[in-house]
Amino acid sequence: MRDAVVTPSGDRIRWVELPGAEPARLHLHGLGATSPVYFAAAATHPLLAGRRSLLLDLLGFGISDRPADFPYTLEAHADAVAAAVAAAGLSRVEVVGHSMGGAIAIVLAHRHPGLVSRLLLVDANLDPIAPDRQRIGSSGISGYTEAEFLDRGRAEVAERVGPSWWSTMRLAGPEALHRSAVHLARGSEPTMRELLVALDLPRTFLHPAADGEPVGADGLRAAGVRVVAVPDCGHNIMLDNPDGYAAEAAAALGPA
């Protein structure tokens, strides 16, 4: 395990690092998740093993610190990640981002030009969630006020998401979980989709084949984004179909 101070208050991001060749690969998890749990098997798959890999937990989640005074916007997350990458001695990384981690990866590439060499988005959030759907999106977390979430919402969400997701979600700071969900629902400005199509680097978007084409797929392709359907999986592609994920990730990122 490695760590780096990423805020003026001394808050630390931590990650599990797998040794290997560079360019390094940075893995960013989704809301209520943790990268070592969600990405360890994928990063060591025979098609992907051999690269230096940082399985990083975003501030507020997993093994990282959980400051209650951090804003947890997409931009703040991205800047904290950039600070951690710099502390790891890296100036350029391939980035894999799942769900909310994909949204943060896009913002990271936009705010820190040159840091991201390739971008692999795993069923990532590209658009804001309309206010009337916030009780559905992000497991309904963004539909609560922060006071409501701290009072009763966290317990209600624990009942809704089930034991598998809760096993990692319970590690998140309550403020981190709520604020991250709220800012994910609001999205970035410009939106993550707009930032993604403007990026000048290799980009791939993986989605479950069972869900059909993602919204705006033709526009993504027109901007040079590879849009790839992965069979036999749900939202957690790398967990549901490890071999299918590894094959497409290797195609997107290149061999180890």
Side-chain angles (χ1 to χ4, degrees):
M1 186 183 74
R2 305 290 179 86
D3 66 87
V5 173
V6 295
T7 70
S9 302
D11 303 301
R12 293 178 179 270
I13 273 182
R14 297 179 179 86
W15 64 92
V16 170
E17 184 163 328
L18 306 177
E22 295 190 9
R25 288 177 180 159
L26 170 69
H27 295 74
L28 302 177
H29 61 80
L31 184 70
T34 169
S35 288
V37 172
Y38 277 68
F39 282 114
T44 56
H45 190 281
L47 293 177
L48 298 171
R51 286 286 187 88
R52 182 182 177 188
S53 298
L54 283 64
L55 280 56
L56 182 144
D57 279 349
L58 297 164
L59 204 61
F61 295 87
I63 58 176
S64 291
D65 286 352
R66 304 164 181 79
D69 59 349
F70 190 72
Y72 296 104
T73 62
L74 296 176
E75 293 79 7
H77 273 305
D79 291 348
V81 169
V85 170
L90 296 167
S91 60
R92 197 157 171 82
V93 288
E94 300 174 345
V95 182
V96 180
H98 175 235
S99 196
M100 181 183 77
I104 292 168
I106 294 167
V107 175
L108 175 70
H110 170 71
R111 288 174 68 85
H112 299 272
L115 179 61
V116 178
S117 61
R118 291 176 179 270
L119 190 56
L120 174 60
L121 303 172
V122 186
D123 211 22
N125 299 72
L126 299 182
D127 302 300
I129 300 172
D132 63 348
R133 295 188 60 79
Q134 288 183 10
R135 284 285 182 183
I136 301 171
S138 299
S139 299
I141 295 171
S142 60
Y144 296 95
T145 67
E146 186 165 312
E148 290 170 342
F149 185 73
L150 297 180
D151 176 54
R152 59 181 174 81
R154 185 173 181 273
E156 292 175 358
V157 168
E159 289 289 325
R160 280 202 299 272
V161 302
S164 180
W165 196 1
W166 185 247
S167 68
T168 58
M169 189 181 286
R170 66 189 175 86
L171 303 176
E175 296 88 358
L177 186 57
H178 181 262
R179 291 177 203 165
S180 294
V182 166
H183 289 292
L184 179 62
R186 290 177 183 168
S188 59
E189 181 57 46
T191 67
M192 295 83 77
R193 182 182 298 273
E194 291 170 313
L195 296 178
L196 175 62
V197 300
L199 291 173
D200 183 19
L201 52 89
R203 296 147 296 161
T204 299
F205 187 98
L206 304 184
H207 68 93
D211 290 353
E213 286 270 276
V215 173
D218 288 342
L220 294 177
R221 291 192 187 95
V225 180
R226 292 179 64 246
V227 180
V228 180
V230 181
D232 305 321
C233 65
H235 180 56
N236 298 321
I237 297 174
M238 59 284 189
L239 298 179
D240 298 339
N241 183 353
D243 292 337
Y245 167 83
E248 297 300 344
L253 300 174

